[in-house]
Amino acid sequence: MIHIAICDDNASELKQIKTIVEKISLIEYEIHEYTDPNECVQAIEQGMIFDCFLLDILMNKDNGIDIAQKLRETHPDTPLIFITATPEFALAGYEVNAARYYLKPLDEVCFLRDLKKILALAYAKNNDYMTISNASGLTRIRLSDIYYIESMLRTIQIHTKDKNYTMVGKISKFEESLRHQHFIRVHKSFLVNLRYVQNIFKDTITLDNGEQILLSKHRSKETHEQLVKYIQEHV
């Protein structure tokens, strides 16, 4: 799931942009609408992470360039697209590393063509990471760095190459979101990254860093099958 923020103080034009964006159906996304762009900034301060910004420049109370500069403080590399009524701020867009600059009314064909490419890249990048929230704030963790995820009642511990992360949550949610990322539930308390499985013997999984994980009897058959499949696909 990727998150797209549309900021335009004209509710009618915002709706038109949203209608065009909704014609994209190849990826899973959620659109967040803001007629006050400062609400978008506030959402970020409260922990929201966006994967793409569609931003008007000429707004009654705010300058879109100023808002973009605020967005860049927390989202330095996130694609930012300006959609505005005048070309006079096009050069200023380079100051905030804008990905595209479109004039209203939108050329729908060109806009969708470019947006599909931008969102596809954002989606691919998004799927390489997961974002967690805990007492230390928001943290993006590279999936390939995770050895396994452990459930301890209502506490989740994510074991990575460099450190462990603790948060409140349910392992079932991680199981669902990581289902297609080579992670498999091997026990009620463990979700393991198949790329680091070195050996399976009886009720024990040994990872290539020497750690051992319990394998439950009723998950043994599926775990063996998925490991064989993973090895065949990555030889």
Side-chain angles (χ1 to χ4, degrees):
M1 170 77 75
I2 64 173
H3 296 271
I4 305 167
I6 305 178
C7 303
D8 194 318
D9 65 345
N10 186 311
S12 176
E13 293 183 350
L14 189 154
K15 184 177 180 180
Q16 291 174 8
I17 295 170
K18 180 184 178 183
T19 298
I20 295 174
V21 174
E22 288 177 334
K23 294 183 179 182
I24 296 176
S25 60
L26 296 177
I27 59 175
E28 186 179 6
Y29 58 85
E30 182 175 349
I31 297 174
H32 304 259
E33 305 166 59
Y34 301 99
T35 52
D36 181 351
N38 288 294
E39 292 181 359
C40 179
V41 176
Q42 291 170 5
I44 292 171
E45 292 172 348
Q46 294 169 4
M48 189 66 202
I49 295 178
F50 291 103
D51 301 286
C52 182
F53 296 105
L54 305 180
L55 181 64
D56 189 14
I57 291 182
L58 296 176
M59 292 179 276
N60 291 330
K61 297 180 180 179
D62 301 281
N63 181 301
I65 298 296
D66 294 336
I67 294 295
Q69 289 173 339
K70 291 181 182 179
L71 298 177
R72 281 291 180 239
E73 292 176 5
T74 53
H75 291 64
D77 303 314
T78 300
L80 191 156
I81 298 172
F82 283 124
I83 303 172
T84 190
T86 174
E88 66 177 292
F89 294 101
L91 290 177
Y94 288 103
E95 298 176 8
V96 291
N97 192 28
R100 298 286 190 279
Y101 191 108
Y102 294 98
L103 292 178
K104 298 177 180 178
L106 277 173
D107 180 328
E108 185 174 320
V109 174
C110 291
F111 175 71
L112 280 177
R113 179 195 63 206
D114 294 340
L115 185 61
K116 285 177 182 178
K117 293 177 182 178
I118 289 171
L119 294 184
L121 289 172
Y123 186 77
K125 181 179 179 181
N126 182 280
N127 279 350
D128 288 336
Y129 290 83
M130 72 176 183
T131 302
I132 67 166
S133 177
N134 57 17
S136 300
L138 287 173
T139 304
R140 280 168 60 83
I141 304 173
R142 189 186 296 274
L143 296 183
S144 60
D145 288 343
I146 300 173
Y147 277 94
Y148 64 97
I149 297 173
E150 181 179 5
S151 173
M152 297 171 286
L153 295 178
R154 296 183 179 179
T155 302
I156 294 294
Q157 191 162 67
I158 301 169
H159 299 258
T160 76
K161 291 181 177 180
D162 302 318
K163 63 184 293 187
N164 297 335
Y165 301 87
T166 301
M167 62 175 290
V168 175
K170 295 181 178 180
I171 196 169
S172 57
K173 290 189 176 181
F174 287 96
E175 180 183 10
E176 182 180 350
S177 63
L178 297 176
R179 187 179 304 276
H180 302 294
Q181 301 293 334
H182 310 304
F183 284 79
I184 185 169
R185 185 86 170 267
V186 299
H187 185 276
K188 66 179 182 179
S189 300
F190 296 104
L191 186 66
V192 172
N193 189 339
L194 286 172
R195 75 185 68 197
Y196 295 120
V197 174
Q198 185 177 65
N199 175 264
I200 300 178
F201 182 70
K202 295 184 178 180
D203 64 350
T204 302
I205 295 174
T206 302
L207 305 181
D208 66 8
N209 66 350
E211 289 192 71
Q212 294 187 326
I213 308 295
L214 285 175
L215 172 63
S216 67
K217 185 176 181 179
H218 78 279
R219 296 180 187 272
S220 180
K221 183 175 183 293
E222 182 186 2
T223 300
H224 278 84
E225 290 174 351
Q226 290 300 316
L227 179 59
V228 170
K229 181 180 178 181
Y230 176 82
I231 292 172
Q232 291 174 340
E233 292 176 350
H234 294 84
V235 170

